[in-house]
Amino acid sequence: MNELDALVDGARAGFAQAATPADLENAKAQYLGKSGRITELMKGLGALSVDEKKSRGAAINQAKQAIEAALTERRQALADAELQAQLKAEALDVSLPGRQRGQGGLHPVSLTLERIEAIFGSMGFEVADGPEIESDWFNFTALNTPEDHPARSMHDTFYVEGGSDKAPNLLRTHTSPMQIRHAVQHVKRHRADLDAGRSMPEIRVIAPGRTYRVDSDATHSPMFHQCEGLWVGENVSFKDLKHVFNDFCRTFFESDDLVLRFRPSFFPFTEPSAEIDIQFQQGPLAGRWLEVAGSGQVHPNVVRNMGLDPERYIGFAFGMGPDRLTMLRYGVNDLRLFFDGDVRFLAQFR
Ligand code: DAH
């Protein structure tokens, strides 16, 4: 092998070893650079005769071209390798399922509350909101349930700071205090008319919200929801309450195949009082009587505490359990599911 062939082989080997474009440029300089081996050989031509120059020059040129060809090939190979690596790194698997953004939704009890508000709203009822920390007066006494009344024992609750030693503030045990709170405001707004012997507009209101009792099992939670209803006017009767509640139940459960029963009961703040039971005629609960609300004609003492004359104004009230209604509507059998915060359960109502 002559000296030039060895040079070309050496260049090829050097280029092959270059792992990066920068390495390759360094290797190239050794042969084709200003003081590279080929350049040096060219410089040596000057000392030769014309004939020798021709043949030697041609041979060096050939070697130079071979080295340049090897360089180009290696450059291309490195560029291809780099492209392949990049493609691999940025690979996009178009067969992967897309990433979805988690979708939120309303809690089933919130859905029920919205539904209750919409239905009663369409029947001309306002929606009122009130405090969950309540005074003894609004929660009990004003509702005809004085300090030693036995009905209080069914409303054991959580007591908080404030109020008096004998009658501390508490977490409200029902939404019924809203009857007094709302009526008092309404009466205040229409005081002048009332004092002048004129009529005031009827009170028609519902008050949904959270309530509290010391109670916990599959059908009772220490925190639960209630929705109070109050209708006060000069010419309101039990048949109006029956009518409104009947309409509400049929709309709420989207069924005309539903029977209502008013079963005599006792509440200190109503007289007479009734539990409202419903019976589905079809479906898994068909034939069973299910209690959905307490109700009654507002007791004269309570009407008086609203600032109204019980000889002139008659009230009807009801208190229902939205948690219960939600369980019936969706076929949920354990109340605790509503408050566990398990997304697998909640996501079903999105
Ligand atoms: N407040 C009662 C309870 O928590 C429910 C109730 C019964 C509300 C009769 C009423 C009513 O407005 O008239 O058990």
Side-chain angles (χ1 to χ4, degrees), residues 3-276:
E3 170 219 354
L4 287 174
D5 288 343
L7 191 65
V8 172
D9 279 355
R12 281 208 184 99
F15 295 166
Q17 261 174 22
T20 66
D23 287 350
L24 186 58
E25 292 315 305
N26 283 337
K28 170 199 159 187
Q30 285 176 33
Y31 297 92
L32 304 172
K34 246 186 216 158
S35 51
R37 305 277 292 279
I38 293 289
T39 320
E40 292 298 324
L41 288 173
M42 292 290 201
K43 281 181 194 160
L45 287 178
L48 301 179
S49 68
V50 175
D51 279 352
E52 277 175 328
K53 226 185 246 176
K54 234 185 184 171
S55 61
R56 177 75 177 153
I60 295 175
N61 240 335
Q62 219 174 357
K64 186 184 174 192
Q65 279 167 10
I67 291 173
E68 281 173 348
L71 177 69
T72 307
E73 197 182 320
R74 184 65 186 148
R75 267 193 190 139
Q76 192 58 51
L78 284 181
D80 286 352
E82 192 181 27
L83 182 65
Q84 284 309 318
Q86 194 180 354
L87 285 175
K88 206 170 160 190
E90 293 172 5
L92 189 66
D93 183 350
V94 292
S95 68
L96 278 178
R99 282 189 204 111
Q100 287 182 344
R101 198 185 292 186
Q103 204 189 357
L106 284 180
H107 189 280
V109 174
S110 299
L111 292 172
T112 294
L113 293 175
E114 283 198 343
R115 216 173 146 71
I116 292 172
E117 290 172 19
I119 297 169
F120 278 102
S122 76
M123 298 194 278
F125 280 72
E126 282 179 72
V127 179
D129 199 14
E132 289 169 32
I133 294 177
E134 195 47 286
S135 68
D136 187 271
W137 165 257
F138 283 114
N139 198 80
F140 293 122
T141 311
L143 291 167
N144 203 35
T145 316
E147 198 190 323
D148 294 317
H149 197 289
R152 282 197 179 206
S153 65
M154 280 158 65
H155 288 233
D156 193 13
T157 181
F158 305 87
Y159 291 87
V160 297
E161 283 177 4
S164 69
D165 280 354
K166 257 177 74 183
N169 286 345
L170 44 85
L171 297 187
R172 66 179 178 187
T173 61
H174 49 179
T175 45
S176 301
M178 281 305 293
Q179 290 187 30
I180 307 286
R181 285 184 176 275
H182 184 84
V184 164
Q185 290 301 319
H186 184 95
V187 167
K188 211 169 162 185
R189 279 200 297 279
H190 301 285
R191 190 78 264 169
D193 282 334
L194 288 166
D195 286 348
R198 290 188 293 267
S199 306
M200 64 164 198
E202 285 188 348
I203 295 173
R204 245 183 263 172
V205 68
I206 59 164
R210 281 186 278 270
T211 48
Y212 304 83
R213 284 189 211 176
V214 181
D215 231 347
S216 187
D217 60 39
T219 52
H220 296 89
S221 152
M223 189 286 293
F224 59 105
H225 296 84
Q226 279 199 346
C227 181
E228 199 72 13
L230 179 67
W231 187 351
V232 180
E234 286 172 76
N235 287 304
V236 190
S237 74
F238 227 112
K239 89 176 182 318
D240 296 310
L241 174 70
K242 279 180 114 167
H243 190 75
V244 157
F245 216 83
N246 198 50
D247 273 2
F248 165 72
C249 287
R250 287 170 182 227
T251 312
F252 184 85
F253 289 107
E254 295 168 281
S255 166
D256 286 337
D257 252 351
L258 195 112
V259 179
L260 250 70
R261 168 173 89 176
F262 282 70
R263 177 166 43 88
S265 184
F266 173 81
F267 299 101
F269 34 89
T270 45
E271 181 59 38
S273 306
E275 302 284 357
I276 308 178

